Amino acid sequence: MDQKTRLLTIGQFAALHGINKKTLMWYDEIGLFKPAFVHPENGYRFYNYHQSSLLETILMLRDLDVSVGEIREFVKHRSAGSLKSLLDEKIAELDVRLSHLKAVRKTLCNHRQNMETLLTMDLDEFYVVRKEACSLVTVNIDRETSYDRAVEMIVAKTREYELRRLHDASYGTMIPVKSLRLGDYDDYCGLFIEIPFSIQKAGLHIQPCGTYLRTFFRGNWKEMSDKYQELFAFAKKHGLEPFGFSYETIINETVTDHEEDYIVQIEIPVRRQPEERLT
């Protein structure tokens, strides 16, 4: 007998497609996928190989979270056009989910890196590191902006950029290097959010690629000025010129509830001073 006309029991057909036979029974009961033959005496369901293509399509659509109602409608009016439209919609949804998962992975990697840093860092050291350019979303603040207000503004921005929660992105504060040079250590001008996926939007702040000085601070925030003075002294000694902004990020906020235990990572872009300025 030709394979396409040979009948398979519900158990055999379910095993062929890697599903439970109760799934086939349910599909039959709701009118989504009928057996090829039902024995008139005992009611046993039988299927044939010719039905495999339709069942696999149904299973694929279920994997894509297409509702039973949508699939039933498709089965009733099957055509290349209807399937293409349905797949176009689900591919677009899948692309969004994949983008989110990539963003979550990047954020998790950032958090893991922060934890590794906590285990190996030396609070007294200064590190010269290389960083790639990064697009940051910024929120303007001034010295009158309260901590509570700053958190509210950051949360609002994460929602604006369709992040599901605050810790879906890295965030911190910015202070101009020119203010630090003048001894104005409270002149914070912005909050920044490093969005963990590629975006094309006007008004983004570009954190430049290149060489950065990195150091860490823990203690009373009023004493951070001492750390900056040490950083500028280190830069001068090694012929480096800080420029742009200092980017401050609390790297252990997720593992402590006490502000006095916060560890702030400070990163400032630097460039090699011209030779005549080194003498």
Side-chain angles (χ1 to χ4, degrees), residues 1-15:
M1 182 180 295
D2 182 66
Q3 237 187 3
K4 288 187 177 180
T5 59
R6 198 185 82 184
L7 295 179
L8 303 171
T9 66
I10 189 171
Q12 291 172 326
F13 197 65

Side-chain angles (χ1 to χ4, degrees), residues 107-121 167 216 250-256 263 265:
T107 301
L108 291 177
C109 287
N110 288 341
H111 287 322
R112 181 182 63 184
Q113 181 60 53
N114 287 342
M115 297 306 103
E116 290 178 355
T117 299
L118 288 171
L119 296 173
T120 60
M121 69 180 183
H167 284 282
F216 302 92
I250 300 172
I251 64 172
N252 67 332
E253 191 175 12
T254 57
V255 293
T256 183
I263 295 176
Q265 175 181 275

Side-chain angles (χ1 to χ4, degrees), residues 127-144:
Y127 305 87
V128 179
V129 299
R130 182 79 183 177
K131 289 177 64 72
E132 297 299 321
C134 180
S135 297
L136 305 178
V137 177
T138 57
V139 177
N140 293 330
I141 61 172
D142 55 37
R143 64 185 75 239
E144 302 301 324

Side-chain angles (χ1 to χ4, degrees), residues 67-79:
S67 69
V68 170
E70 289 178 286
I71 298 176
R72 186 188 290 114
E73 189 65 22
F74 161 71
V75 171
K76 288 181 180 178
H77 307 285
R78 268 190 295 168
S79 70

Side-chain angles (χ1 to χ4, degrees), residues 88-101:
D88 283 344
E89 177 186 340
K90 296 308 170 183
I91 288 172
E93 293 177 2
L94 187 59
D95 285 341
V96 172
R97 289 167 57 190
L98 288 173
S99 294
H100 175 70
L101 287 175

